[in-house]
């Protein structure tokens, strides 16, 4: 798997630091006093039950949301605009009403890639994602799995330093999931930092180097994937891995988690 | 009944042998309405999209104004444009009163608010769907606006048609600012009004038939085109 060599190799905008970040909406604190560092290298997967704040965390990282308190710092940005080196794949892909190739081309145009270089980059990203034969189809008639691959192709063409994926296979069948995972692995192998959320523990085992476990807006555990799956230190995480329904647990965990998490 | 029957017969014969007076009136009508809709689209669409996308000082005033203008009776618009363009009015020096240009101006005022208001609705709906994706891709406000207008193109066609409907059907505004001068500013609706009051029902009915056929034809063609394009792009 070779990376498109057209973009100049520059130093990473990572590490990304969250310093005591909180996010509130409608009077509810949805992310609570979260501090952590995303370093370059490992592919990171954020796990947690529904409503844990996984998607919010990704949107805060990507700059789509602004924190209510705390700071989000790209330590490697050094004056550059960090958003120009990121891309995101959403749970529901949004395709423009134009052809498959034009969707990728549009993303490149927005990043200021000159027209004569765009054609090759579009073709390459569509080949890598197995969409080359659909290049001239209207994007909106593609199947859901194909649309998600197109979203990945768009991200691939941009060759971001960091790629965020919000449950990219949530609505896909196993075959489509497999294809999407293969593309994500290839993008990571080509040097893009992958940070994604998933509900699918099997997927987390297959793709993660590092796990973040989130519950009700708090970061309860962060560590290497091997160690996490061998036995999480946090008992909520342990229960989550066993498949227990965390929402049935009484609400008292909010107060005493931090000490347990240590 | 016999009146109606003979009028209909005379009307059809006017249409079939392409009466030059009739043709002149039809062509001028199309020129005025299409021109007005074209200009109203150029102004109304970006305006509606901007109101949908941006929060800026004066935005509420524009929204209220557009809604108010949408319901304005054509005669009132005609009167206001008349006052502005008349010899003593602020734009009197242009000498536009009683010309097709004055009629186009009046119809732009009538049609633009409709196109802007409908555009605003369409773009607001699209924006809720596209916002995160476009911001993620790094689209600035201007790029987002053009992308949304382009992606809403099928639905926006309905806005343009609604505008064309109002432009081609109204009498009051073009009558006042155009003056219904034969061979100069006489259009289908004003001619119908005049011929009816003169008692020449044949010409009036002939014009009426053409007006209905034209507007049905244009709407029908637009509908078919829109359906086909929408199917191709799956909505």
């Amino acid at each position: 798997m070779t990376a498109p060599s057209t973009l100049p190799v520059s130093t990473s905008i990572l590490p990304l630091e969250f310093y005591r970040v909180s996010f509130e909406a409608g009077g509810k604190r949805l992310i609570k006093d979260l501090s952590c560092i995303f370093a370059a290298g490992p592919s990171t997967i954020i796990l947690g039950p529904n409503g844990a704040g996984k998607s919010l965390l990704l949107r805060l990282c990507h700059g789509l949301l602004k924190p209510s308190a705390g700071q989000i710092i790209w330590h490697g940005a050094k004056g550059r605009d960090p958003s120009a080196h990121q891309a995101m794949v959403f749970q529901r892909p949004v395709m423009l009403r134009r052809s498959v190739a034009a969707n990728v081309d549009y993303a490149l145009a927005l990043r200021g890639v000159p027209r004569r270089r765009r054609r090759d980059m579009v073709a390459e990203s569509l080949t890598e994602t197995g969409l080359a034969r659909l290049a001239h189809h209207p994007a909106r008639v593609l199947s859901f799995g194909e649309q998600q691959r197109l979203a990945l192709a768009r991200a691939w063409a941009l060759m971001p330093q960091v790629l965020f994926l919000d449950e990219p296979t949530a609505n896909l069948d196993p075959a489509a999931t497999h294809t999407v995972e293969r593309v994500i692995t290839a993008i990571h192998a080509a040097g893009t930092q992958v940070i994604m959320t998933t509900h699918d523990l099997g997927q987390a085992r297959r793709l993660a180097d590092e796990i973040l476990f989130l519950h009700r807006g708090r970061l309860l555990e962060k560590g290497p994937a091997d160690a996490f799956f061998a036995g999480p230190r946090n008992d909520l995480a342990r229960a989550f891995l066993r498949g227990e329904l965390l929402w049935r647990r009484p609400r008292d965990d909010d107060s005493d988690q931090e000490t347990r998490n240590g | 009944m016999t009146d109606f029957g003979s009028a209909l017969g005379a009307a059809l014969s006017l249409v079939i042998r392409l009466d030059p007076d009739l043709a002149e009136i039809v062509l001028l009508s199309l020129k005025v309405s299409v021109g007005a809709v074209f200009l109203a689209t150029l102004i109304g669409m970006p305006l509606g999209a901007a109101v949908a996308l941006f929060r800026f000082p004066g935005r509420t005033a524009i929204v209220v104004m557009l809604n108010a203008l949408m319901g304005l009776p054509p005669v009132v618009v005609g009167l206001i444009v008349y006052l502005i363009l008349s010899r003593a009015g602020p734009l009197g020096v242009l000498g536009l009163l009683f010309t097709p240009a004055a009629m186009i101006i009046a119809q732009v005022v009538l049609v633009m608010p409709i196109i802007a208001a409908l555009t605003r609705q369409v773009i607001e709906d699209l924006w809720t769907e596209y916002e995160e994706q476009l911001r993620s891709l790094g689209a600035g406000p201007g790029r987002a606006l053009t992308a949304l207008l382009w992606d809403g193109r099928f639905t926006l066609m309905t806005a343009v048609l609604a505008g064309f409907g109002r432009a081609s059907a109204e009498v009051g505004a073009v009558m006042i600012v155009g003056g219904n001068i034969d061979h100069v500013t006489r259009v289908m609706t004003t001619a119908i009004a005049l011929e009816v009051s003169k008692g020449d029902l044949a010409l009036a009915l002939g014009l009426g038939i053409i007006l209905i056929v034209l507007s049905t034809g244009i709407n029908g063609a637009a509908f078919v085109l829109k359906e086909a394009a929408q199917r191709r792009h799956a909505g």
Side-chain angles (χ1 to χ4, degrees), chain A residues 32-193:
Chain A
K32 295 164 189 163
D33 201 17
L34 192 148
S35 295
C36 76
I37 290 180
F38 297 90
S43 85
T44 303
I45 288 202
I46 302 166
L47 284 175
N50 273 335
K54 306 189 293 293
S55 297
L56 284 179
L57 181 60
L58 278 193
R59 282 167 172 75
L60 286 164
C61 288
H62 191 32
L64 291 175
L65 296 173
K66 297 275 167 265
S68 315
Q71 280 182 295
I72 296 172
I73 310 148
W74 292 91
H75 283 292
K78 299 192 179 68
R80 290 174 295 171
D81 175 13
S83 64
H85 302 279
Q86 306 165 32
M88 182 156 173
V89 171
F90 296 87
Q91 190 176 342
R92 295 186 59 84
V94 177
M95 292 302 145
L96 300 175
R97 285 170 175 81
R98 35 185 110 193
S99 74
V100 166
N103 263 279
V104 179
D105 185 74
Y106 179 73
L108 288 168
L110 285 179
R111 292 284 161 98
V113 179
R115 188 181 300 269
R116 62 199 143 73
R117 281 171 53 202
R118 294 208 294 263
R119 183 201 282 269
D120 290 344
M121 294 166 81
V122 169
E124 180 174 0
S125 70
L126 291 182
T127 307
E128 294 292 348
T129 48
L131 292 170
R133 74 193 163 80
L134 298 171
H136 301 292
H137 283 57
R140 293 225 164 198
V141 303
L142 300 188
S143 74
F144 206 81
E146 287 165 343
Q147 288 196 23
Q148 200 56 293
R149 262 150 69 199
L150 177 51
L152 281 162
R154 200 155 54 182
W156 177 286
L158 294 175
M159 263 296 130
Q161 293 182 9
V162 186
L163 174 62
F164 300 104
L165 302 110
D166 188 13
E167 298 188 31
T169 60
N171 303 306
L172 301 186
D173 66 22
T177 300
H178 175 76
T179 315
V180 165
E181 285 185 12
R182 193 179 52 73
V183 176
I184 294 172
T185 310
I187 289 176
H188 184 240
T192 292
Q193 170 80 9

Side-chain angles (χ1 to χ4, degrees), chain B residues 25-220:
Chain B
I25 292 172
V26 171
L27 278 180
L28 182 63
S29 300
L30 282 178
K31 235 166 70 183
V32 169
S33 295
V34 170
V37 169
F38 178 73
L39 291 176
T41 304
L42 281 189
I43 305 167
M45 276 198 182
L47 184 64
V51 169
L53 246 55
F54 309 134
R55 301 286 171 269
F56 50 88
R59 179 179 173 277
T60 319
I62 292 181
V63 172
V64 171
M65 201 187 70
L66 286 179
N67 287 339
L69 284 176
M70 222 173 15
L72 271 188
V75 267
V76 177
V77 172
L79 178 62
I80 293 166
V81 175
Y82 177 91
L83 291 173
I84 292 171
L85 294 182
S86 68
R87 197 62 63 77
L91 296 181
V93 284
L94 299 177
L96 289 176
L97 199 59
F98 305 131
T99 65
M103 297 155 79
I104 292 179
I105 292 172
Q107 291 205 335
V108 167
V109 176
L110 280 173
V111 167
M112 193 278 287
I114 293 182
I115 293 181
L118 292 177
T119 301
R120 181 185 147 221
Q121 194 55 54
V122 170
I123 297 300
E124 258 176 11
D125 291 350
L126 269 183
W127 184 234
T128 36
E129 185 192 342
Y130 283 26
E131 180 179 2
E132 282 198 323
Q133 183 69 66
L134 287 180
R135 283 178 55 205
S136 168
L137 291 175
R143 302 296 291 264
L145 196 137
T146 44
L148 290 170
L149 282 175
W150 179 245
D151 270 39
R153 59 196 182 272
F154 308 129
T155 330
L156 290 173
M157 222 153 94
T158 314
V160 174
L161 283 180
F164 183 78
R166 187 167 202 208
S168 60
E170 72 86 23
V171 199
V174 285
M175 181 77 95
I176 294 178
V177 301
N180 194 23
I181 304 165
D182 204 6
H183 302 302
V184 183
T185 58
R186 183 158 299 171
V187 291
M188 285 193 269
T189 52
T190 56
I192 291 173
L194 177 71
E195 299 306 329
V196 169
S197 58
K198 269 169 42 185
D200 186 353
L201 295 184
L203 186 54
L205 200 57
L207 286 165
I209 291 168
I210 293 174
L211 192 52
I212 289 171
V213 168
L214 270 180
S215 72
T216 318
I218 288 175
N219 273 286

